Amino acid sequence: KIPVQSRELWNKHKVRKFGTAEEFEEKFISHVEWTLARSLYNCDDLAAYQATSQSVRDNLVIDWNKTQQRQTARDGKKVYYLSLEFLMGRALDNALINMRTDTSSQDVGPTDETLTKGNTAREMIRNAMKDLGFKLEDVLEQEPDAALGNGGLGRLAACFVDSLATGNYPAWGYGLRYQYGIFAQKIIDGYQVETPDYWLNFSNPWEIERSEIQVPINFYGYVHRPESEKTTTSPSDWIGGERVLAMAHDMPIPGFKTPTVNNLRLWSAKPTTEFDFSKFNNGDYKNSVEQQQRAESITAVLYPNDNFDQGKELRLKQQYFWCAASLHDIVRRFKKNKRPWSEFPDAIAIQLNDTHPTLAIVELQRVLVDLEKLDWHKAWDIVTKTFAYTNHTVMQEALEKWPVGLLGHLLPRHLEIIYDINWFFLQSVEKKFPHDMDLLSRVSVIEEGSQERYVRMAFLAIIGSHKVNGVAELHSDLIKSTIFQDFVKVYGANKFTNVTNGITPRRWLKQANPKLAELISETINDPNDDYLLDMSKLTELAKYAEDEAFQKKWNDVKQFNKSRLADLIKRLNNGVDIIDRDHIRNTLFDIQVKRIHEYKRQQLNIFGVINRYLCMKEMLQSGSSIDEVAERYPRKVSIFGGKSAPGYYMAKLIIKLVNSVAEVVNNDAEICDLLKVFFIPDYNVSKAEIITPASDLSEHISTAGTEASGTSNMKFVMNGGLIIGTVDGANVEITREIGEDNIFLFGNLSENVEELRYNHQFQNTSLPEALVKVLNAVESGAFSPQNASEFRPLIDSIKHQGDYYLVSDDFDSYVATQDLVDQVYHKDKKEWLKKSILSVANVGFFSSDRCIEEYAETIWNAEPVKPE
Ligand code: NBX
């Protein structure tokens, strides 16, 4: 503690934010010299990125400290978002956009007064950078993506921390600081090849290493119960066998137009300083050092599966390591206030992003019973009031379950606690539904039956939470009627709720699409971009939906963004331009970018492309002119992108098929560039920021009932792209919000899926004629002349293995809907633009700010802590 008489001195030398271009320049240069030990003579774009980031970070840290002080003083309920993935992407541009430009606060920093009129902090820095000899865009490009996630689930967490800060909620994210994020994808001879993503290569200016915060974490070992304590529900000692340290790294999360800067705390594993002296004395020094180094492997790498549970021991270790460290941190902070334990749930809400952090439930129970000596039931009451669980999938193969043996070996005391939780739960079920043995075995946390017994993490998460939510209406209904049906019976329907996903408009509109953002703010007369905080303001745009002058401006923005993407594609295609720039305005950009998965049905898309190509060729063969072909099949670029899990054979084959089709179609002179296909390698957040604004049409075509929500659908709509999609996930609510005239829906509904699958299995179903032609072409080796059978598994899964994803059932409807898309796009541009404008006008519901408000009100009971 600093003595009171010293405080004056501290205040005299109080750190100040830069507020003007000149102050920024001074900071920048001092970071070049002092932080980077570089100079005027060797400052390249990378150094400029680092010095700029350090400078901006300095401003953020001042607000970060104040935010933490304010939130502690105000003592409102704190929210902790536990997610094993935060797919943040780049931080610098986002920080510049969020940098405050209001005059309302006395804090020093860029304000309306220090900025020239109509200028933002970002513009100020752009100009300063120019004066210093750099181009902001080039400098921004130097930042590697923080790619600590797989897909939608991880990106959702990133949008949520943005909205939590923007909404001034006292909220922290907790995750892992993987040394390697999701792998970088290379395409070699059409195949996906994974290479390591060593994102920390050039150090990370956005993280603050908290070497003073180190939490010891134990694994393995055994349980010791004092003689006097007879049962497993009484306090027990867990004597851990292996110990590692969790060290905190903090990332500041700035809100938009607010001085609130929240914290994202990521843990990394370090060896303890304890040394195995028995080995050392035996002369086995090397081995002893190696043991210590093993610790670091816990946070070495992100598991690259999405929607699939691989069940590896190291993954369970990651989960416990992270849950234990986070809970220890949360409990430590709570204990400082000396409030009674019973008030824990009034002070703290913990949200579980999927079942990955379910062990946090068990760990809190252990802390309360074993360490704090609370009575089991009192402890359990606290636990269940604290936690809430978000489910992101109904697919069996994605639901986590851990072999009892594995869990008990790694975490012996936790397994005991899980058994006891289950025991009390089953007793309560038995009381309510006496003698229903089937029900008991169906809802048991322990899955029996096969040789192995498993712990069902979703069930444990439900039992340990006070609320369970799905991520879109259809999905939230589905979990109640399928995988969690029995729990609705046990707890009643009120425990289950819906919070439809959303995305942050700061990154996905303002940052990704500056031209559209500018047109919007000018059109709705909102020069300070307040619509980014209140998206209902966008409805103003509807007035102009049919205004020709406005439509032209709207279209010009789209064309600009399409050129930007065409440039990227050219660069990724080794400088070869496949997109005819003279016709770009009349070329429909049809995009499907997301993880590659059979349920997301990239195979349906590429079969559709093949069908189009075959039809074009057929027309030419039967004597039609190229103009006639162009009339029927107007210009289109079909763009794919996304990573496959490294071990997912079928997904990798789909990638190869797309690339093989591209090879044939793009080089077929006969079709005169009317159709192009391109697979964008290494799809990630920063590429998404270029791709999303450029779509005319994007594809969200999962088998009905399989995509929990989808969030890229929202991103595309927010950028004025139209959607072709199935009646699945959030497509349903998108349709409701923007109007059914403004979306191209097709295909079977989720309520018919079961019957259709049954028919494939037990009835003789025939394939649609067009699909047969497509499959025959693929089978004949039209796209793999060297190896005609290369794509057999994709064909077999439809023809001979029950077509689980119902490609054949939706094919004709998909093709017909694509025809309709062509019609509107090429024959009625005005109508198309009207749909596009109306979509953006009504997309407001999908701001993640709305999600956070719903979570705060209906699940967390938390309120914002507004800065004065
Ligand atoms: O979560 C995704 C869903 O598939 C999307 O429909 C949804 O919009 C999104 C956000 O709610 N799920 C997802 O991305 N899951 C994973 O990435 C995942 C990763 C590891 C794992 C299981 C799932 N073990």
Side-chain angles (χ1 to χ4, degrees):
K1 279 252 169 77
I2 308 294
V4 182
Q5 60 269 33
S6 303
R7 292 204 179 155
E8 208 174 306
L9 189 60
W10 277 76
N11 283 328
K12 185 175 153 199
H13 298 301
K14 206 165 92 175
V15 289
R16 285 166 43 98
K17 294 199 276 187
F18 70 77
T20 63
E22 206 177 323
E23 286 166 1
F24 165 75
E25 288 154 9
E26 199 181 318
K27 257 223 145 181
F28 175 95
I29 290 170
S30 72
H31 276 301
V32 170
E33 298 263 352
W34 281 333
T35 310
L36 308 176
R38 297 227 206 176
S39 74
L40 167 61
Y41 302 103
N42 66 350
C43 186
D44 53 13
D45 279 348
L46 178 62
Y49 154 69
Q50 286 170 329
T52 308
S53 300
Q54 290 287 352
S55 307
V56 171
R57 179 184 121 168
D58 285 350
N59 270 18
L60 289 186
V61 167
I62 290 174
D63 281 340
W64 187 93
N65 275 327
K66 284 191 182 154
T67 302
Q68 301 315 311
Q69 284 160 24
R70 180 168 59 240
Q71 292 178 355
T72 307
R74 214 74 71 81
D75 205 22
K77 191 165 184 178
K78 303 223 164 37
V79 175
Y80 296 106
Y81 196 80
L82 267 57
S83 179
L84 209 39
E85 306 189 2
F86 287 91
L87 191 45
M88 302 297 286
R90 291 174 175 157
L92 177 54
D93 202 20
N94 189 245
L96 294 180
I97 282 170
N98 284 12
M99 199 177 269
R100 218 146 34 92
T101 56
D102 64 320
T103 46
S104 56
S105 156
Q106 302 90 11
D107 289 334
V108 188
T111 64
D112 287 351
E113 282 151 12
T114 60
L115 298 166
T116 50
K117 203 166 158 27
N119 220 348
T120 61
R122 190 171 180 274
E123 286 311 303
M124 177 186 95
I125 293 204
R126 180 204 299 283
N127 294 334
M129 302 278 306
K130 197 171 156 216
D131 293 343
L132 288 162
F134 295 95
K135 195 172 155 207
L136 180 64
E137 273 64 30
D138 296 343
V139 169
L140 295 176
E141 276 295 307
Q142 297 298 313
E143 180 171 0
D145 276 30
L148 308 183
N150 274 288
L153 173 147
R155 184 53 231 177
L156 186 75
C159 285
F160 280 6
V161 289
D162 179 278
S163 284
L164 283 162
T166 298
N168 299 304
Y169 289 94
W172 284 26
Y174 274 110
L176 286 184
R177 178 185 180 269
Y178 304 105
Q179 268 173 33
Y180 296 88
I182 187 71
F183 62 84
Q185 179 193 55
K186 293 216 156 69
I187 300 296
I188 298 178
D189 298 332
Y191 297 98
Q192 166 174 303
V193 174
E194 302 91 25
T195 63
D197 161 53
Y198 192 51
W199 69 298
L200 299 168
N201 214 355
F202 295 103
S203 84
N204 176 5
W206 298 104
E207 67 179 9
I208 298 155
E209 187 182 284
R210 298 277 182 205
S211 52
E212 75 280 13
I213 298 182
Q214 304 199 359
V215 186
I217 307 292
N218 295 320
F219 297 106
Y220 309 107
Y222 59 94
V223 180
H224 172 77
R225 228 176 326 276
E227 269 304 301
S228 54
E229 308 285 7
K230 283 281 175 293
T231 70
T232 48
T233 56
S234 32
S236 313
D237 284 331
W238 168 30
I239 318 295
E242 184 184 296
R243 172 173 280 208
V244 299
L245 293 176
M247 185 163 85
H249 297 253
D250 289 344
M251 278 174 59
I253 307 292
F256 177 68
K257 283 201 192 188
T258 167
T260 297
V261 176
N262 278 343
N263 196 22
L264 173 58
R265 177 156 287 180
L266 304 179
W267 300 101
S268 74
K270 297 206 330 165
T272 55
T273 44
E274 295 153 25
F275 211 72
D276 189 341
F277 279 101
S278 60
K279 278 201 182 118
F280 187 56
N281 290 335
N282 289 333
D284 198 358
Y285 177 69
K286 184 168 160 281
N287 211 340
S288 166
V289 172
E290 273 169 12
Q291 281 271 320
Q292 291 286 297
Q293 283 179 343
R294 229 166 63 92
E296 281 162 22
S297 72
I298 295 175
T299 50
V301 57
L302 164 81
Y303 276 90
N305 304 301
D306 76 309
N307 284 299
F308 182 73
D309 174 42
Q310 218 181 346
K312 285 274 193 285
E313 176 171 348
L314 184 61
R315 167 87 172 182
L316 187 61
K317 258 182 138 168
Q318 289 185 335
Q319 294 185 349
Y320 179 65
F321 171 85
W322 153 62
C323 290
S326 308
L327 263 206
H328 178 94
D329 212 38
I330 293 167
V331 167
R332 175 178 60 84
R333 221 167 291 123
F334 174 77
K335 282 171 85 168
K336 277 194 197 162
N337 279 338
K338 309 230 185 301
R339 292 171 71 175
W341 283 109
S342 60
E343 289 179 15
F344 193 85
D346 304 324
I348 287 157
I350 303 178
Q351 189 67 33
L352 307 175
N353 196 20
D354 215 302
T355 55
H356 317 150
T358 304
L359 284 171
I361 289 172
V362 190
E363 176 70 359
L364 182 57
Q365 181 70 2
R366 185 184 76 85
V367 168
L368 296 178
V369 172
D370 288 0
L371 308 182
E372 304 295 337
K373 315 290 184 207
L374 262 69
D375 162 73
W376 174 278
H377 298 284
K378 285 203 177 109
W380 186 243
D381 186 52
I382 292 170
V383 169
T384 52
K385 283 179 173 156
T386 302
F387 286 98
Y389 153 55
T390 304
N391 170 280
H392 297 265
T393 186
V394 294
M395 290 186 301
Q396 280 304 327
E397 67 269 29
L399 295 176
E400 280 191 300
K401 49 182 194 179
W402 293 104
V404 164
L406 173 63
L407 203 150
H409 177 57
L410 187 72
L411 303 165
R413 177 56 182 148
H414 294 79
L415 183 60
E416 285 186 354
I417 293 173
I418 290 169
Y419 276 134
D420 287 330
I421 292 170
N422 193 36
W423 193 76
F424 288 118
F425 169 68
L426 292 180
Q427 269 196 332
S428 73
V429 177
E430 162 72 22
K431 217 166 146 187
K432 214 166 164 184
F433 303 94
H435 316 304
D436 192 342
M437 295 308 283
D438 271 359
L439 177 66
L440 288 184
S441 89
R442 286 202 308 273
V443 297
S444 174
V445 171
I446 307 298
E447 178 184 295
E448 325 231 7
S450 56
Q451 281 157 318
E452 281 255 43
R453 291 185 305 149
Y454 290 95
V455 181
R456 297 157 158 167
M457 300 309 268
F459 291 6
L460 186 54
I462 296 172
I463 297 168
S465 298
H466 64 284
K467 280 277 180 195
V468 177
N469 76 285
V471 288
E473 270 173 24
L474 177 67
H475 168 66
S476 296
D477 287 343
L478 275 176
I479 60 177
K480 284 193 279 184
S481 60
T482 61
I483 52 174
F484 301 151
Q485 191 183 13
D486 291 319
F487 287 88
V488 173
K489 201 168 149 185
V490 170
Y491 287 115
N494 280 342
K495 181 161 181 163
F496 296 85
T497 183
N498 172 249
V499 182
T500 299
N501 283 165
I503 56 170
T504 169
R506 273 75 64 182
R507 182 176 293 261
W508 296 111
L509 179 48
K510 175 82 181 167
Q511 185 181 323
N513 201 341
K515 287 260 194 286
L516 188 65
E518 200 183 320
L519 177 58
I520 290 172
S521 70
E522 163 193 308
T523 307
I524 67 175
N525 195 14
D526 181 10
N528 296 322
D529 288 347
D530 288 330
Y531 74 92
L532 292 171
L533 293 170
D534 175 8
M535 297 280 280
S536 68
K537 287 192 183 342
L538 289 178
T539 51
E540 283 288 297
L541 288 172
K543 289 205 287 245
Y544 306 94
E546 291 174 85
D547 176 325
E548 263 188 48
F550 182 70
Q551 284 196 341
K552 179 172 182 312
K553 288 186 194 167
W554 191 263
N555 195 25
D556 285 347
V557 169
K558 183 58 82 183
Q559 299 318 317
F560 171 86
N561 289 324
K562 284 164 74 174
S563 301
R564 200 169 62 151
L565 176 56
D567 291 344
L568 174 67
I569 289 177
K570 181 178 172 191
R571 192 159 62 72
L572 295 170
N573 198 33
N574 301 315
V576 181
D577 208 348
I578 56 163
I579 295 168
D580 185 343
R581 304 307 177 98
D582 295 337
H583 291 105
I584 200 163
R585 279 174 176 268
N586 298 316
T587 304
L588 187 142
F589 277 37
D590 178 339
I591 304 182
Q592 188 177 19
V593 283
K594 50 181 85 229
R595 287 298 290 255
I596 312 292
H597 223 295
E598 286 164 285
Y599 88 81
K600 295 180 189 282
R601 296 203 296 191
Q602 284 92 354
Q603 69 277 40
L604 174 59
N605 184 344
I606 193 66
F607 289 153
V609 172
I610 295 172
N611 174 64
R612 190 182 183 95
Y613 175 64
L614 294 178
C615 292
M616 292 167 82
K617 297 291 278 185
E618 214 169 279
M619 277 184 79
L620 289 169
Q621 258 143 38
S622 54
S624 299
S625 71
I626 194 69
D627 289 341
E628 284 165 324
V629 175
E631 180 68 17
R632 176 69 180 80
Y633 296 107
R635 281 181 194 280
K636 174 169 194 163
V637 189
S638 194
I639 297 162
F640 293 78
K643 293 171 186 178
S644 157
Y648 191 171
Y649 177 75
M650 291 294 262
K652 288 187 143 176
L653 201 54
I654 292 171
I655 294 177
K656 172 64 173 137
L657 178 59
V658 171
N659 284 309
S660 298
V661 171
E663 179 77 23
V664 171
V665 171
N666 296 352
N667 294 308
D668 186 338
E670 237 183 40
I671 60 167
C672 296
D673 299 332
L674 288 174
L675 179 62
K676 295 285 173 185
V677 181
F678 192 72
F679 187 94
I680 295 178
D682 200 36
Y683 176 61
N684 58 16
V685 172
S686 52
K687 287 210 178 84
E689 289 167 15
I690 306 291
I691 295 166
T692 316
S695 89
D696 293 306
L697 183 77
S698 68
E699 309 222 6
H700 308 274
I701 58 176
S702 50
T703 311
T706 61
E707 188 72 276
S709 162
T711 41
S712 75
N713 42 5
M714 303 166 188
K715 288 167 201 165
F716 282 105
V717 172
M718 201 177 276
N719 284 279
L722 302 195
I723 283 181
I724 183 167
T726 45
V727 184
D728 199 20
N731 289 354
V732 176
E733 288 138 284
I734 290 176
T735 306
R736 189 181 66 206
E737 292 295 311
I738 69 174
E740 60 184 351
D741 291 345
N742 301 319
I743 185 166
F744 296 96
L745 293 178
F746 73 95
N748 286 282
L749 305 182
S750 69
E751 57 253 42
N752 302 322
V753 164
E754 202 181 340
E755 188 188 336
L756 292 168
R757 281 183 179 152
Y758 180 91
N759 291 347
H760 281 296
Q761 282 216 313
F762 301 108
Q763 237 80 76
N764 259 332
T765 49
S766 62
L767 301 183
E769 207 180 310
L771 181 60
V772 170
K773 282 189 186 166
V774 168
L775 298 184
N776 286 345
V778 175
E779 221 168 354
S780 75
F783 307 102
S784 53
Q786 317 294 333
N787 178 7
S789 61
E790 172 150 39
F791 302 113
R792 265 309 267 281
L794 288 173
I795 294 161
D796 285 348
S797 92
I798 294 172
K799 274 195 184 169
H800 307 302
Q801 285 153 17
D803 191 11
Y804 189 75
Y805 297 100
L806 308 182
V807 171
S808 61
D809 302 272
D810 286 345
F811 190 75
D812 282 347
S813 152
Y814 175 67
V815 170
T817 307
Q818 280 285 14
D819 284 345
L820 184 62
V821 168
D822 282 330
Q823 283 285 324
V824 183
Y825 187 80
H826 291 281
K827 303 279 156 60
D828 198 351
K829 233 349 177 325
K830 279 186 196 155
E831 180 62 22
W832 184 276
L833 288 167
K834 177 181 158 196
K835 291 180 194 297
S836 166
I837 296 163
L838 287 176
S839 295
V840 177
N842 294 301
V843 78
F845 179 77
F846 301 100
S847 165
S848 44
D849 296 349
R850 187 265 314 153
C851 306
I852 292 305
E853 269 174 45
E854 284 184 17
Y855 277 100
E857 271 170 33
T858 65
I859 299 181
W860 303 330
N861 192 24
E863 303 217 320
V865 172
K866 296 221 171 77
E868 291 82 29

